Amino acid sequence: MISVIEGCLSCGCTQLQEIMSFGETALADRLMTAAQVNEPEPKAPLDLMFCPECALVQIHHTVDPEVLFCNNYPYYSSVSPSLMRHFRASAEDIMRSRQLGPDSLVVEAASNDGYMLKPFLEAGIQVLGIDPADGPAAAAVKSGVRTLNTFFSLELARTLADSEHVAADVFLANNVLAHVPDLNNFVEGIRTLLKPDGVAVLECPYLLDLIAHNEFDTIYHQHLCYFSATALDRLFRCHGLFLNDVARVAIHGGSLRLFVGRTEQVGSSVREMLADEREAGVGTFAYYADFAGKVRRLRERLTAMLADLKAQGHRIVGYGAAAKANTLMAYCGIGPAQLDYLVDLNPNKQGLFYSGNHLPIHPPSRLAADPPDYLLILAWNFASEIMQQQSAFRAAGGKFIVPVPEPVIL
Ligand code: ZN
């Protein structure tokens, strides 16, 4: 079920260096029912590694996808209005800049419920979605988005190219690259499906934002890789693809939107980003050792803060049963000794128990019925929204703890 990754996921180098270990953690997004709490729970080491050859940052263990992704609340992208706006704007940009028409084809890997393909479809452009999740893929088909219910791979790309003559003017993949166990297979698949003058537009969280904002809790088993432009540029070149343009986008704690083609037309955005990364030390181990030190200091401060509040007799509740809370709570040793319970807005998570520490998850209305003194905002990326929603809690004397990038009480 758990295997050690033998070599670098990009270049195969076997001399990976350990940046830091978060210890053995439960698997994120694997919430339990009351009956499952008493069953043995899968755990796996969470170690962050650096490849001195190609600078790719990655974790050292993989967990079988059927164990890793077996949650009972399938994720539908269309549920988040801010994500919808973000990707619709991106689709409109692509349609404008690529002058797509009825003969053009847009292919998307991990297309979920078809949320990003819909704007293309509405404009009369042909689309093909590919997604392994049954529920979202079925929802996409129902709304008219042609979707193959499977994983994207080189083998699938070859089949589509050979037997159906599929050739993409635009290939999309948002927040999927970090999840892919065989990166080289995936990237070769992109090259196989892309027309010679086509463009692949990919989004992935940006490693330098993760480090700058101390977002260590976005490191968990589902995310195998953490990308810099330096590592991506090298990966694409190995497959006859070129990172020609790049933009930073403020989503998922800071992401990159990559424009990749089969001919080399490297723009100033890429040249500047590569130069900035070189200057920051992205290719050196020292850069990551410094990050590991910051993460350890955060843990010391947060655990001391919580211990202090408990010693004063305060009650604390955690807000947000998202995947990232798993790493933060496991690494900082947060469980029933610190938190009374968790709350989450997602009704599919309410009534379940969190991975590892088995804290019960309630709807936010519980905060009024059973009020704590402090609310630890585990979903810190929504901290301002949560504090606004919980203005009654504050008015009644409640306080908020935001743990990242540095623990503060507000
Ligand atoms: Zn490597």
Side-chain angles (χ1 to χ4, degrees):
M1 185 197 86
I2 300 161
S3 28
V4 175
I5 301 170
E6 289 301 338
C8 169
L9 287 166
S10 175
C11 75
C13 167
T14 54
Q15 307 298 313
L16 299 182
Q17 298 172 294
E18 185 180 294
I19 298 168
M20 66 180 301
S21 173
F22 295 96
E24 194 156 271
T25 76
L27 306 180
D29 262 344
R30 211 167 184 283
L31 308 182
M32 285 164 285
T33 61
Q36 288 168 327
V37 165
N38 299 316
E39 293 170 11
E41 188 182 2
K43 291 192 173 185
L46 185 60
D47 303 331
L48 192 66
M49 313 298 285
F50 167 68
C51 174
E53 280 294 314
C54 75
L56 181 65
V57 172
Q58 53 205 291
I59 61 169
H60 203 32
H61 295 82
T62 55
V63 180
D64 283 350
E66 55 269 32
V67 179
L68 203 51
F69 294 101
C70 81
N71 61 46
N72 39 18
Y73 47 96
Y75 178 73
Y76 289 83
S77 300
S78 297
V79 170
S80 163
S82 60
L83 272 185
M84 289 290 284
R85 279 195 299 277
H86 170 84
F87 287 113
R88 181 167 282 272
S90 173
E92 283 164 3
D93 274 353
I94 294 167
M95 281 190 271
R96 257 196 310 274
S97 63
R98 305 296 297 184
Q99 298 176 330
L100 303 178
D103 295 330
S104 311
L105 173 67
V106 180
V107 177
E108 184 175 17
S111 49
N112 199 271
D113 52 16
Y115 65 102
M116 189 166 177
L117 290 174
K118 272 180 206 145
F120 294 101
L121 193 63
E122 286 160 16
I125 296 159
Q126 299 175 53
V127 300
L128 173 63
I130 301 162
D131 199 288
D134 300 341
V141 171
K142 206 172 163 193
S143 65
V145 177
R146 186 187 166 208
T147 301
L148 304 175
N149 186 196
T150 184
F151 284 97
F152 178 74
S153 66
L154 173 58
E155 295 68 32
L156 178 70
R158 281 191 179 138
T159 306
L160 290 172
D162 294 346
S163 60
E164 294 190 41
H165 307 293
V166 171
D169 294 274
V170 177
F171 183 96
L172 305 171
N174 296 311
N175 298 306
V176 59
L177 217 49
H179 298 272
V180 173
D182 193 342
L183 259 189
N184 286 293
N185 176 289
F186 191 93
V187 174
E188 189 65 24
I190 296 176
R191 201 195 57 80
T192 303
L193 267 198
L194 208 56
K195 278 187 184 169
D197 63 346
V199 65
V201 185
L202 318 173
E203 282 193 19
C204 59
Y206 186 31
L207 174 65
L208 275 78
D209 283 325
L210 184 161
I211 289 179
H213 307 135
N214 223 4
E215 298 161 1
F216 73 94
D217 52 349
T218 62
I219 298 165
Y220 46 87
H221 294 104
Q222 282 90 335
H223 291 162
L224 296 167
C225 295
Y226 303 84
F227 293 106
S228 59
T230 305
L232 287 163
D233 183 60
R234 161 151 186 172
L235 170 67
F236 292 131
R237 282 177 186 272
C238 287
H239 296 276
L241 290 170
F242 300 90
L243 176 58
N244 287 330
D245 214 344
V246 64
R248 292 178 75 161
V249 289
I251 203 152
H252 296 304
S255 294
L256 293 180
R257 183 178 295 158
L258 313 157
F259 297 85
V260 176
R262 287 175 58 178
T263 49
E264 186 168 5
Q265 294 172 310
V266 179
S268 57
S269 59
V270 174
R271 284 196 300 273
E272 282 164 19
M273 188 171 280
L274 292 174
D276 288 350
E277 290 188 357
R278 236 186 335 270
E279 192 161 322
V282 162
T284 65
F285 184 73
Y287 177 68
Y288 304 97
D290 181 59
F291 165 65
K294 274 202 306 185
V295 175
R296 279 192 286 272
R297 285 193 292 281
L298 184 151
R299 174 169 67 174
E300 282 164 22
R301 280 201 282 267
L302 182 61
T303 49
M305 181 187 279
L306 296 178
D308 202 33
L309 294 174
K310 291 309 289 181
Q312 294 170 40
H314 292 303
R315 294 183 65 209
I316 312 170
V317 162
Y319 196 111
K324 66 161 85 74
N326 189 63
T327 301
L328 188 131
M329 291 196 288
Y331 178 62
C332 299
I334 297 172
Q338 291 81 12
L339 304 182
D340 287 18
Y341 56 90
L342 301 176
V343 294
D344 197 286
L345 271 176
N346 185 341
N348 296 316
K349 296 183 182 181
Q350 296 162 6
L352 297 175
F353 294 81
Y354 203 76
S355 44
N357 59 24
H358 300 175
L359 285 166
I361 303 165
H362 295 294
S365 58
R366 172 86 178 219
L367 294 171
D370 182 18
D373 304 295
Y374 287 79
L375 205 48
L376 173 64
I377 303 186
L378 297 161
W380 47 260
N381 45 328
F382 297 112
S384 45
E385 269 176 71
I386 292 168
M387 287 190 278
Q388 263 173 13
Q389 278 165 19
Q390 296 301 327
S391 52
F393 167 77
R394 190 199 286 282
K399 291 197 169 67
F400 300 96
I401 305 167
V402 181
V404 173
E406 305 231 351
V408 285
I409 296 176
L410 297 170

